[in-house]
């Protein structure tokens, strides 16, 4: 008798489809990027980012309330990004390692109130520099690598001292993972993890994020330190270097247009792989949803599932709160 393969038998209803599902998205996969801001008048408020509907910059007190809410939804990790006052920015980003700076004070308050949540801090100078670049500028306008790494080490140490569970260098300077790992270990912070932005591309998808922090470069671009979107083998080289230098988690950023990179990285390492579902990817879905062109929630879940299917173990996404509300905090 002729045997006929009928894959549809395993699609016939939702119960069967759930039984054979290959990839499952859970709240445990998510890291929630959040924006904390300073207010010149020390007033308490939040401001929606115009290009990122549903995302806000919070003053520290309101940020703490928001974190309490999302933690109750089952989100166990947040990534903090600062919007500091303009007069605190300078050419060297010195405010980045101020022990009483915005991020450092915010981390202390979070860990005091919600000690079990994982706090991840960004290590890069662009929110703190007057020129908007991730590093120190040389006389010819080229980003100085080793001099920048020295400042990044100070920044990472100050964040660890404040109580950060994980530091996340996003600058793409050569050798910074090893320098930060050595400094953390030498200063008694051997338990602080490093999530390396290992394959971070010079992408056009970052625009809304730079609006949120006011961190767009004042001149030039970031192509001398962020990667060319045309390259994939280079990503594997960057991943290997960061692993050798002591990274605990490696990241691909952006995610949606780089699913092939996520897949290749996952095949190349046993370390956890993070994917950053960046602001432009978020904004496109939100804009299409507002126009009534797509079902935003379904597109959101499909997109994040695709990132996990490609190999991402964790996903940084501005959709985290919405996803947690849909899936429920006990979904695992």
């Amino acid at each position: 008798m002729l045997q006929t393969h009928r894959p549809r038998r395993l699609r016939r209803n939702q119960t069967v489809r759930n039984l054979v599902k290959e990839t499952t998205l859970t709240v445990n996969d998510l890291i929630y990027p959040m924006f904390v801001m300073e207010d010149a008048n020390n007033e308490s408020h939040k401001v929606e980012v115009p290009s990122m509907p549903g995302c806000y910059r919070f003053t520290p007190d309101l940020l703490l309330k928001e974190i309490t809410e999302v933690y109750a939804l089952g989100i166990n990790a947040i990534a903090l990004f600062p919007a500091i006052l303009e007069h605190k920015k300078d050419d060297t980003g010195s405010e980045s390692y101020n022990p009483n700076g915005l991020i450092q004070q915010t981390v202390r308050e979070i860990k005091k109130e919600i000690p079990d949540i994982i706090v991840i801090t960004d290590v890069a100078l662009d929110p703190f520099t007057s020129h908007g670049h991730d590093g120190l500028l040389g006389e010819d306008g080229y980003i100085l690598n080793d001099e920048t790494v020295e400042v990044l080490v100070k920044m990472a140490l100050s964040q660890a001292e404040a109580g950060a569970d994980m530091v996340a260098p996003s600058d793409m300077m050569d050798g910074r993972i090893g320098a930060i790992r050595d400094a953390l270990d030498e200063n008694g912070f051997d338990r602080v993890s490093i999530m390396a932005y290992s394959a971070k591309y010079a992408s056009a998808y970052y625009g809304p994020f730079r609006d949120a922090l006011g961190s767009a470069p004042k001149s030039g671009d970031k192509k001398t330190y962020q990667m060319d979107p045309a390259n994939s083998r280079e990503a594997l080289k960057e991943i290997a270097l960061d692993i050798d230098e002591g990274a605990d988690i490696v990241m691909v950023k952006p995610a949606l247009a780089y699913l092939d990179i996520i897949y290749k990285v996952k095949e190349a390492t046993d370390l956890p792989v993070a994917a950053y579902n960046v602001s432009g990817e978020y904004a496109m879905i939100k804009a299409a949803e507002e126009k009534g062109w797509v079902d935003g929630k379904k597109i959101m879940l499909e997109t994040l599932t695709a990132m996990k299917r490609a190999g991402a173990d964790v996903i940084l996404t501005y959709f985290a709160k919405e996803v947690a509300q849909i899936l429920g905090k006990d979904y695992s």
Side-chain angles (χ1 to χ4, degrees):
M1 181 178 177
L2 179 65
Q3 297 295 313
T4 302
H5 291 282
R6 294 187 181 273
R8 287 185 57 194
R9 281 193 284 260
L10 298 182
R11 304 176 199 148
R12 67 189 186 92
N13 58 45
Q14 190 62 54
T15 304
V16 173
R17 291 193 294 272
N18 287 341
L19 183 68
V20 298
K21 183 177 292 188
E22 298 176 26
T23 304
T24 302
L25 182 70
T26 82
V27 291
N28 293 322
D29 303 320
L30 308 178
I31 297 171
Y32 195 16
M34 305 185 77
F35 304 122
V36 60
M37 68 176 178
E38 292 181 303
D39 182 80
N41 299 315
N42 292 318
E43 295 179 352
S44 174
H45 66 289
K46 66 179 184 179
V47 179
E48 188 172 31
V49 180
S51 53
M52 299 176 68
C55 286
Y56 296 86
R57 294 187 295 265
F58 297 90
T59 51
D61 57 331
L62 294 185
L63 179 77
L64 193 58
K65 292 181 180 179
E66 181 72 3
I67 293 172
T68 301
E69 182 177 332
V70 299
Y71 184 61
L73 289 170
I75 295 172
N76 295 313
I78 61 167
L80 284 181
F81 298 92
I84 71 167
L85 299 174
E86 285 296 320
H87 74 268
K88 293 187 178 182
K89 299 182 180 182
D90 59 29
D91 288 347
T92 62
S94 60
E95 181 66 15
S96 66
Y97 52 87
N98 177 358
N100 295 310
L102 175 63
I103 283 293
Q104 290 82 355
Q105 289 183 341
T106 302
V107 170
R108 290 189 193 100
E109 288 300 314
I110 295 170
K111 297 306 289 186
K112 178 182 176 182
E113 297 296 325
I114 317 168
D116 291 334
I117 199 165
I118 298 170
V119 177
I120 303 166
T121 48
D122 182 52
V123 181
L125 297 184
D126 51 329
F128 302 95
T129 54
S130 52
H131 46 72
H133 278 285
D134 296 50
L136 307 184
L137 285 178
E139 292 183 0
D140 59 355
Y142 192 79
I143 301 299
L144 303 173
N145 192 91
D146 295 357
E147 294 85 344
T148 296
V149 170
E150 292 178 8
V151 181
L152 297 174
V153 167
K154 294 179 182 179
M155 184 179 182
L157 281 175
S158 74
Q159 295 171 350
E161 289 168 352
D165 299 287
M166 188 179 298
V167 295
S170 64
D171 55 285
M172 289 299 288
M173 297 299 118
D174 295 335
R176 88 277 201 213
I177 300 301
I180 291 171
R181 182 71 273 161
D182 287 346
L184 290 172
D185 291 352
E186 289 168 4
N187 286 274
F189 299 112
D190 53 293
R191 296 184 184 181
V192 174
S193 306
I194 298 177
M195 180 170 64
Y197 286 59
S198 300
K200 181 178 180 180
Y201 286 85
S203 172
Y205 282 96
Y206 302 149
F209 176 92
R210 292 172 182 169
D211 289 343
L213 297 187
S215 61
K218 301 296 189 297
S219 63
D221 53 42
K222 302 192 177 188
K223 293 180 179 179
T224 66
Y225 46 101
Q226 295 179 0
M227 289 174 51
D228 187 336
N231 293 356
S232 62
R233 293 192 303 272
E234 184 183 5
L236 299 182
K237 178 179 181 179
E238 289 281 9
I239 293 290
L241 289 171
D242 284 356
I243 292 173
D244 286 345
E245 291 178 24
D248 298 288
I249 300 174
V250 292
M251 184 197 295
V252 176
K253 180 183 180 183
L256 185 57
Y258 297 83
L259 296 178
D260 60 319
I261 307 299
I262 296 170
Y263 180 83
K264 289 182 179 182
V265 169
K266 185 62 178 177
E267 290 288 296
T269 180
D270 292 328
L271 287 186
V273 176
Y276 202 138
N277 177 214
V278 299
S279 59
E281 298 166 357
Y282 173 91
M284 290 191 301
I285 292 176
K286 286 295 185 180
E289 181 181 38
E290 287 184 353
K291 288 284 189 180
W293 294 339
V294 299
D295 184 319
K297 286 184 172 55
K298 289 182 179 179
I299 293 287
M300 169 187 73
L301 292 172
E302 184 176 343
T303 298
L304 297 178
T305 300
M307 293 170 190
K308 189 173 180 185
R309 189 185 67 237
D313 297 290
V314 293
I315 304 170
L316 291 86
T317 178
Y318 303 99
F319 288 118
K321 185 177 181 180
E322 287 184 70
V323 173
Q325 289 169 332
I326 292 171
L327 298 182
K329 67 178 180 180
D330 294 325
Y331 191 99
S332 61

